[in-house]
Amino acid sequence: MNRLFRRIERRFELSACHPSFLTRKIPAGLSYLHCFGGLAFVLYLVLLLSGMLLSVYYLPSEQEAFRSVVAITREVRLGFLVRGMHRWAGHLLLVLVLLHTVRVVVQRAYLPPRELNWLAGVFILLLLLASGFTGALLPWDQKAYWTTVIASGIAGTAPWAGETFLQLVRGGPEVGGATLLRFYSLHVLWLPFAINLFLWAHFHMVKRLGIKGGL
Ligand code: HEM
């Protein structure tokens, strides 16, 4: 493996082109607890890749959505595996992000000068939760439908903005085809775009300030 890396390095000279990325100083006292953020990122990549594969077969319409998910699970080659990977990567990502957040809290890494990185993290967490919520409707089965009816209904009871929020989320008075299309668009375009933007800011700040060491 080492010989292979040396060979690639001789040709590409990656360490010379990206010295700040490949030869970064890290503080003393790092432990396995500092791996949760990196592991969460790996799972996020699995989520993106499996989502891109699912989007090749998924049909976001009232008539076709359920049937296309059944076809992905039963007929498409390895479809069940890709769907399972997407589902489990989503669940595990939330677990890892929470563990990562606990590490940051215990180590007080949210204090200045890292307060903006904490804020970026909070936005990422909210956007991830929104991704889970919008993704849950996409199988378009009974569980998906009623989860969205109940959850959006609860949000709709909020004072002042509740009713407007309900209309905006559902795209009409009831959960239907318009809601499915809105959730699909949010799930595959708007939310990943926003998450990528905040992740870029998150990593930029980690790079600039370094990791807080010693636990
Ligand atoms: C997909 C979600 C996330 C990913 C992939 C991610 C990734 C990372 C990585 C790789 C680091 C470098 C150090 C480490 O791994 O501990 C880091 C640092 C940090 N993260 Fe996250 N993170 C995520 C979400 C969050 C959330 C939800 C919060 C808090 C609300 C947060 C707050 C922070 C802070 C404050 C640091 C700096 C810690 C330090 O300097 O020691 N992150 N993150």
Side-chain angles (χ1 to χ4, degrees):
M1 236 16 206
N2 250 347
R3 265 192 24 216
L4 180 69
F5 279 130
R6 270 205 301 275
R7 232 189 148 91
I8 294 174
E9 174 63 16
R10 245 200 330 270
R11 290 284 172 264
F12 283 87
E13 295 202 336
L14 281 173
S15 54
C17 296
H18 308 281
S20 66
F21 181 69
L22 290 166
T23 54
R24 192 142 6 113
K25 286 197 177 122
I26 52 167
L30 294 192
S31 70
Y32 283 115
L33 299 177
H34 287 81
C35 294
F36 292 136
L39 286 174
F41 185 60
V42 172
L43 276 183
Y44 180 66
L45 294 182
V46 172
L47 209 57
L48 282 187
L49 192 70
S50 52
M52 280 158 76
L53 289 174
L54 288 175
S55 76
V56 174
Y57 290 97
Y58 180 75
L59 296 166
S61 82
E62 224 173 335
Q63 291 79 23
E64 309 270 18
F66 177 70
R67 234 178 314 148
S68 70
V69 172
V70 172
I72 287 171
T73 317
R74 298 200 186 144
E75 289 158 29
V76 176
R77 188 188 293 255
L78 296 181
F80 72 96
L81 187 67
V82 175
R83 193 178 164 212
M85 278 168 69
H86 195 70
R87 208 187 174 87
W88 281 101
H91 291 321
L92 282 176
L93 176 62
L94 282 182
V95 173
L96 279 170
V97 168
L98 288 179
L99 288 173
H100 172 59
T101 310
V102 170
R103 195 282 287 171
V104 168
V105 171
V106 170
Q107 207 185 7
R108 292 166 168 247
Y110 52 83
L111 293 176
R114 295 181 174 81
E115 75 279 19
L116 278 185
N117 209 3
W118 168 264
L119 204 64
V122 171
F123 280 118
I124 294 171
L125 184 57
L126 293 176
L127 291 166
L128 285 178
L129 291 174
S131 298
F133 179 58
T134 48
L137 181 67
L138 301 187
W140 204 235
D141 53 14
Q142 289 291 321
K143 189 172 148 213
Y145 180 82
W146 289 109
T147 305
T148 307
V149 169
I150 293 167
S152 60
I154 293 172
T157 59
W160 299 308
E163 197 53 43
T164 320
F165 177 77
L166 196 66
Q167 280 286 332
L168 207 70
V169 166
R170 289 185 177 175
E174 305 289 337
V175 172
T179 324
L180 182 63
L181 204 57
R182 265 172 206 219
F183 276 39
Y184 178 71
S185 161
L186 282 169
H187 191 75
V188 306
L189 286 173
W190 294 91
L191 291 169
F193 177 76
I195 292 173
N196 290 349
L197 215 64
F198 280 108
L199 270 181
W200 175 82
H202 202 62
F203 290 148
H204 176 77
M205 281 185 268
V206 169
K207 200 172 147 193
R208 207 179 81 70
L209 301 167
I211 304 167
K212 194 162 186 287
L215 194 67

